[in-house]
Structure formats: structure tokens, C-alpha cells
Amino acid sequence: MASRATLMFVLVLILPVSCSLAQTRGGRAINWAAVFNTTRLTAGILRVPYKELFASMDGNNIVATTGDQQATGWANLVVYKLRGDFSLNYMVTVSQLTNTEVPVSAAIHVGPAGSNGPEIMRFERANWRRFNPNAKRLVTRTTQGNNYMLSGTYSATSEDKIISGETVKQLILAILQDPRQFYIVVKTPAYPLGAIRGQLRVSSK
């Protein structure tokens, strides 16, 4: 059984990380640590975030066409590093899509603000869930409100989902080198080239 001193050490290490992830987005407090289960034990080793990124998305950021002028969104990416390997936890929220629109895809593309670029990493489309931002909980598809949430993980076992052919580690290292050269775009049936978009940035604590 772990000693009291050992337990205190773990708590001192975990609490600052968890508290730093309790952020406010759009006037709503979101506990990202709870969403991502951010501090983890992997094979008996305490794993904490290596880097955190975000993107604020809206229809005005869509390039060369018109996006959804009503919708907004937010993406949070948490990168982990363990024994030289990298993994990426992601969460994407989309709010106030026009009419009965539903998101069909969300992906990371290469390209600075004001330009379009190729898609390199696509998030799992089957994981979209409808939610009520005011109730801060997931809801059924029959509930009013056109708001959706997508979350998942990329790791070395996710290579089949990479569009560009690189490994997860290679892509994560490229993104971390200059996040502003990458963006996230969410597409819907009415906006096949993009409903909302936002450039990646490093989260400040």
C-alpha cells in the first residue's frame, strides 16, 4: 500500500494540472480535465499533458467560399508524451448550426489563416453527439438545440485514420512546431467545403 507521503506527492502533482484545465469558453465553465481524464496512470506511470492547443471556430474564417454565419465552435487538443510516443486527445464542439444542419466531419488541415490546405488528420465522424450547452450534459437527438460534440483519441494504434500517410507522432511533432500553420474545419451537408473554421493556437494557463 502506498505511503501517505507518496499519496501526497501524487496529489500535489495532479491538482495544479487539473485546476489549470478548468477554463471558461463562451461564458460557460468547462472542466476539460474531466472531459479528457487529463491526468492518467499508464502502465503504472503518471501521465500529464505535454502540450495543450485550441481553436476558436466560426463561419467568417472559411476561405474562398461562405461558411455558416450563425454557427460557432471550439476545439481543444491535449497532447501526451510517454516514453517517446505521442498521443492526442481531442474535443470539438459546434453550436447553433443553421436550421437542421448536422456536422458530417471535422479535421485538421495544413494552412495558415486566409488560405486553404490539405486535410491531414480526420476525427472520428461516428462519435458526434448532440448536447445542451446550458444543461452541460449530453442530450438525445430529439432535444431542441443544434449543438454537437465530438471527442476521441489519436495514438500509435490510429495510423489507419491518418489521411496524409505520416505517423501520429510525425503529425503531432509538425503541429507542435508551429500550430498556427494548421487549422480545424467542420463540414456539414449544406457547407461541404466548411461550415466553421479556426486556426490552432497554444493554450495559455
Side-chain angles (χ1 to χ4, degrees), residues 36 40 76-80 87-91 152-154:
F36 290 121
R40 300 183 174 186
N76 265 72
L77 310 180
V78 179
V79 176
Y80 294 97
S87 62
L88 174 71
N89 279 19
Y90 60 86
M91 180 177 181
T153 301
Y154 266 100

Side-chain angles (χ1 to χ4, degrees), residues 83-96:
R83 297 194 182 112
D85 290 327
F86 289 85
S87 62
L88 174 71
N89 279 19
Y90 60 86
M91 180 177 181
V92 181
T93 61
V94 183
S95 300
Q96 302 302 318

Side-chain angles (χ1 to χ4, degrees), residues 2 10 24-25 42 73 81 84 102 117 139 170 197 201:
V10 172
T24 300
R25 300 304 184 213
T42 303
K81 181 181 180 183
V102 296
V139 297
Q170 288 173 328
R197 165 184 167 158
R201 301 178 184 179

Side-chain angles (χ1 to χ4, degrees), residues 86 154-156 158-159 162 166-173:
F86 289 85
Y154 266 100
S155 64
S158 309
E159 306 294 356
I162 300 298
E166 286 85 2
T167 66
V168 169
K169 180 177 180 179
Q170 288 173 328
L171 288 180
I172 290 176
L173 287 175

Side-chain angles (χ1 to χ4, degrees), residues 38-48 80 82-83 87:
T38 304
T39 304
R40 300 183 174 186
L41 281 171
T42 303
I45 299 176
L46 188 66
R47 189 176 68 151
V48 297
Y80 294 97
L82 180 62
R83 297 194 182 112
S87 62

Side-chain angles (χ1 to χ4, degrees), residues 91 129-132 135-140 143 148-149:
M91 180 177 181
R129 298 166 291 172
R130 205 164 186 176
F131 79 104
N132 183 338
K136 300 179 184 177
R137 61 181 175 84
L138 297 179
V139 297
T140 65
T143 305
Y148 290 86
M149 175 186 297

Side-chain angles (χ1 to χ4, degrees), residues 96-173:
Q96 302 302 318
L97 285 169
T98 300
N99 300 323
T100 58
E101 281 292 281
V102 296
V104 295
S105 71
I108 300 177
H109 291 243
V110 181
S115 67
N116 289 322
E119 177 181 309
I120 60 168
M121 183 182 288
R122 184 179 302 163
F123 300 140
E124 188 61 59
R125 60 180 295 177
N127 290 344
W128 283 108
R129 298 166 291 172
R130 205 164 186 176
F131 79 104
N132 183 338
N134 297 318
K136 300 179 184 177
R137 61 181 175 84
L138 297 179
V139 297
T140 65
R141 286 186 174 272
T142 59
T143 305
Q144 283 189 328
N146 217 15
N147 310 299
Y148 290 86
M149 175 186 297
L150 177 70
S151 61
T153 301
Y154 266 100
S155 64
T157 60
S158 309
E159 306 294 356
D160 59 314
K161 301 176 185 177
I162 300 298
I163 307 300
S164 60
E166 286 85 2
T167 66
V168 169
K169 180 177 180 179
Q170 288 173 328
L171 288 180
I172 290 176
L173 287 175

